[in-house]
Amino acid sequence: MLVGAPILPTRAEADVPDRPQPPQSPQPPQPPHPLALELVTPPRPLALELRVHGVHGAPPDELLGDPRTVRITGDSTAAVFRRAADVDAEAHPEWYAGRPVVEAYCWSRLTSGNGARALWLLLLPFMVVNLAHWARPAAPATGPAPRAVRAYGVLVRVLALSLTLLLIAAACEVALDLLAWQCAGAGSGACTGSRSWLGFLEPGRWWGQPGRRLALGALVPAALTGLLWYLSNRTWSAYESQPPPAGAAVPVARPDGAPALGRPGFWYGRRIVARLRAAHTAAGLLIVAAAVAAPTARHDRRAGVPVLEALGWAVEALLGAGAVAVAWVVCRRGRTEDRADHRLDRAAVTLLPGSALALLAAVLLYAGWSRPGWTSAGRLPGDFAFGVLMLGQGCCVLLLAAVAVRLYRLAPDPATALYGLGGPAIAMLGCALGGVLSGGVAQRVADWLDGTGGAGGAVGAAGVGGAAVPAPAVPAPPVLLSWQAAVLPPLLLVLALLAACFAVRGVLARRRLAAGVAAEYPGEPPDVHRSRRIAGARAAAALTDSAPWFVAAVSGITLLLGAGALAGAWLSGKVPGEAARGAHPLLETAARAAQDAGSWLIGLGIAAFIAWGRRAYRDPAARRTIGVLWDVGTFWPRAAHPFAPPCYAERAVPDLTWRMTGWTGRTGGRLVISGHSQGSVLAAAAVWQLPSQVRRRVALLTYGSPLRRLYGRWFPAYFGPGPIAALHADIDCWRNLWRATDPIGGPVLPGSRAAAPAQAAPAAATPAASATPATPAPAADSVDRGPLADPLAYGRSARYPLPAPILGHFDYQADPAFAAERDALLARLAGPARRARSAAAAASVVPAPEPPATTGAPAQHASPAPQASPAPRDSPTTRATAAEATPPAPALPAPRVSKEPAGPEGSGGPPGTGG
């Protein structure tokens, strides 16, 4: 949320001449304000600032600093707003000489709109594994890298398919095994006796035959599959089907290939999502059919009925053919990014899920055939199914790690998270999250059917004093799920130790940084508590850089504990408490405690998960909080999992691209797009998609930006040094603001963090001015300006009578550097020729003093190098500066001129304004 933005002058205030000032001693002439020079030149096309908010969102009145806002374009989901006074700005450009028109693009409802967003919590594992697709290491465009990139994509898509199968298998475990097979088939009424609504499934009734109970229970996982298809298809129509602007984003030919985010089809995933949605839907229906057909065919083979036995073999053959078709569709083709692919694979999109649905219907009819004498006993083969899925996921993660290491060695980058293993680590976390959610639901249902709230079906667990208790006649989940729950307590213990280590590191870093904080604010008496607060904010912000190792530890321990749980379940065939019976007393006690604690932890987690989702459905404020998770996780298109929450950037990036292309083409004006936090990522992605003739009229201002610190580290193939350098080459007018207290934002170009901190002010500086350290001026070809002073004042002063807050990640617009850099960017877009003409006109209208020794002074006004411009003249910062006669802000470097002229040589027009 962006608050504290300086208030721009109203139309009436802009026309009021400045009040006369008392005569002062002659001062050396200063270069004019870049945009103030437009007040004395003929009217020019408008200048526009397009603001894009970050996570948490912000209403348009806060973004624009005015409660009266009007929607210019867009709908109730995402729209562009202006102040009511600026609606007709294009008709009166003379009113806005010297200041830009400000617009705000509000996109927060893309992730926190209606109550249906609460259902997205079920899709959290799918979102995480989809992130693993984009977290692959960067690779050269030639050599063996393309094959490794394709292998990486195939492995991630296979992992995503396994998570869909895991979710549907958990639904089958609950509906088919626990309810239809074990509870309804108990015979003694121990399970159905207290649940009258299950009485019609008891043996002896029409629905009492096992095949018919399985057919009825199969409707639950089939409905879940249909719900996932519906959610994916609905969001696909609203997000992935947004076409890019016609003729936009023609990639520039480069020796190492064009940046991926600049390709025309990058934000248009209509084809891949439709194909993967069909494959995952068919896979879900096929696993439901297999869960019904397997016990039915096994009974028919034992019964020796030739017709039913032949039908069973035919059904299993068709299920195998369907599995091969699904695997072929998932592995055959990935994303198409070089062009906006409008085609759809009609055969895969319609025939594959339709055939799977028809096969499921046939299997239900086959299972519902009367089979007198068939009774259900024991459990369905859930242990084998969950074990195969878990083993396959582990093998895929290891193969993915091997491919990632190979890619990293082809193009090593020390800044990449975990040396290229960030993608496999994320994939491992997605698989673990899917296993905990699916296994937790099965265990909670088993405990509910048990009625004792025990440890999730501890079949034959040791009783008090080690005595064995008889196996219960109530449903029990697969043994593997109990082992998965038992590894949660040791995992949480390791996480607590890691968190304690990071906390100790933060405390030590705070002590080390606190010693030098007061020196950055010369003229202020040292304050130990104030220094510690500032140093603590910086130390906490620096912990973000240690997050990759925390993720590595969690994923590595999860992989080891998961392998141990799988081995223990398959080797012993018993739950941990029973498997450890007879061992050392300490080991036996630890196993039983881990099993019971894990079951309770899963129960509490599932209950909190349901409560959170219920609150998010009813409370918009809670929905916005959950929306922060989607803001970060659903930026990327659904390239691996079609049931993941939709990619809001596939709506937001075309919106911004259309707005910038249309406005600059219609008005011929200059535009600076300013993005905060996640909004800076959207802004950069939109600039990448602009045609070259539009990009020369657009400047980029980012602040609190995670482009390099988070995205460049975790997604190096798309935001690494190569793509960011390419963006820097394509758009010269780019400036990035960052603070040392910001845990998310940071510099965007390598080496910027090594800038020297602010030094003591000159001796001639006033005490009020020296209370705020000067921000180091960036180099001439640099993008980053920072670290900005935070807080703006160390102690109390006439300018800051109250303690200045530590702003951290927010309120960048309250810093005078924001307005200064925005105005300087707009001046750079105007080109050196226009600045020279503006300076000459300003010198002719307002002549400088002419003492005999300053004959060359007026020539300084014609210097093309703009200086750091002050905040708007009606802002509190400007008024305080004028009242206390503080020195001017440090000068900005000379701008770099666009490499690509907008018009032919000798035209005399400034770059970026031709046409």
Side-chain angles (χ1 to χ4, degrees), residues 231-579:
L231 292 175
S232 178
N233 184 72
R234 180 181 177 183
T235 54
W236 173 77
S237 302
Y239 291 81
E240 277 88 0
S241 297
Q242 297 291 326
V250 178
V252 180
R254 301 181 186 276
D256 56 348
L261 273 75
R263 297 170 185 166
F266 189 88
W267 300 109
Y268 190 61
R270 185 169 179 260
R271 185 179 185 183
I272 180 66
V273 175
R275 185 169 65 247
L276 290 178
R277 181 178 67 243
H280 283 241
T281 302
L285 296 175
L286 289 176
I287 198 171
V288 176
V292 175
T296 306
R298 186 170 61 249
H299 167 77
D300 291 339
R301 283 193 286 271
R302 289 199 304 262
V305 181
V307 176
L308 294 179
E309 185 176 357
L311 285 176
W313 285 112
V315 165
E316 292 180 347
L318 290 175
L319 290 173
V324 172
V326 168
W328 180 79
V329 171
V330 169
C331 300
R332 176 175 175 266
R333 184 183 307 222
R335 282 172 52 87
T336 302
E337 297 175 351
D338 294 333
R339 65 185 186 281
D341 197 347
H342 300 278
R343 296 177 298 171
L344 289 178
D345 302 312
R346 297 292 180 184
V349 170
T350 58
L351 291 182
L352 189 59
S355 301
L357 183 60
L359 181 58
L360 175 61
V363 168
L364 297 184
L365 291 176
Y366 162 69
W369 194 265
S370 179
R371 292 173 175 83
W374 183 18
T375 59
S376 58
R379 291 197 301 253
L380 293 178
D383 277 315
F384 176 79
F386 283 104
V388 168
L389 283 174
M390 191 173 178
L391 179 62
Q393 288 177 347
C395 292
C396 281
V397 169
L398 294 178
L399 290 175
L400 193 67
V403 175
V405 168
R406 176 172 175 78
L407 284 172
Y408 180 80
R409 289 179 177 176
L410 293 175
D413 178 17
T416 301
L418 305 180
Y419 300 101
L421 293 177
I426 294 174
M428 185 68 245
L429 294 182
C431 295
L433 189 59
V436 168
L437 291 178
S438 59
V441 170
Q443 283 201 330
R444 288 303 95 199
V445 172
D447 291 345
W448 171 67
L449 294 174
D450 184 358
T452 62
V459 180
V464 178
V469 298
V474 294
V479 172
L480 178 59
L481 301 185
S482 297
W483 280 88
Q484 288 180 347
V487 303
L488 282 180
L491 177 61
L492 294 179
L493 179 61
V494 172
L495 294 184
L497 293 176
L498 288 175
C501 292
F502 283 115
V504 171
R505 286 184 56 187
V507 171
L508 296 178
R510 186 188 68 174
R511 293 179 180 176
R512 184 178 66 254
L513 294 173
V517 169
E520 299 176 11
Y521 297 85
E524 291 288 329
D527 185 340
V528 176
H529 298 288
R530 181 68 163 170
S531 297
R532 286 180 178 175
R533 286 192 59 194
I534 298 174
R538 296 179 183 178
L543 289 178
T544 303
D545 299 327
S546 303
W549 300 111
F550 187 84
V551 174
V554 173
S555 59
I557 295 171
T558 300
L559 180 63
L560 294 177
L561 292 178
L566 180 62
W570 277 7
L571 293 177
S572 67
K574 304 174 183 178
V575 295
E578 185 180 357

Side-chain angles (χ1 to χ4, degrees), residues 794-851:
Y794 183 77
R796 297 175 185 264
S797 65
R799 184 178 180 182
Y800 298 99
L802 299 181
I806 300 176
L807 301 177
H809 184 58
F810 302 101
D811 295 346
Y812 272 87
Q813 289 169 324
D815 196 301
F818 177 86
E821 295 295 349
R822 179 197 61 191
D823 295 344
L825 288 174
L826 289 172
R828 289 167 66 175
L829 285 175
R834 179 178 176 185
R835 286 195 298 273
R837 292 197 303 268
S838 301
S844 64
V845 175
V846 186
E850 298 182 359

Side-chain angles (χ1 to χ4, degrees), residues 76-98:
S76 60
T77 304
V80 174
F81 294 86
R82 277 189 190 177
R83 299 184 181 96
D86 297 338
V87 172
D88 56 348
E90 285 78 6
H92 303 281
E94 67 277 4
W95 292 348
Y96 300 90

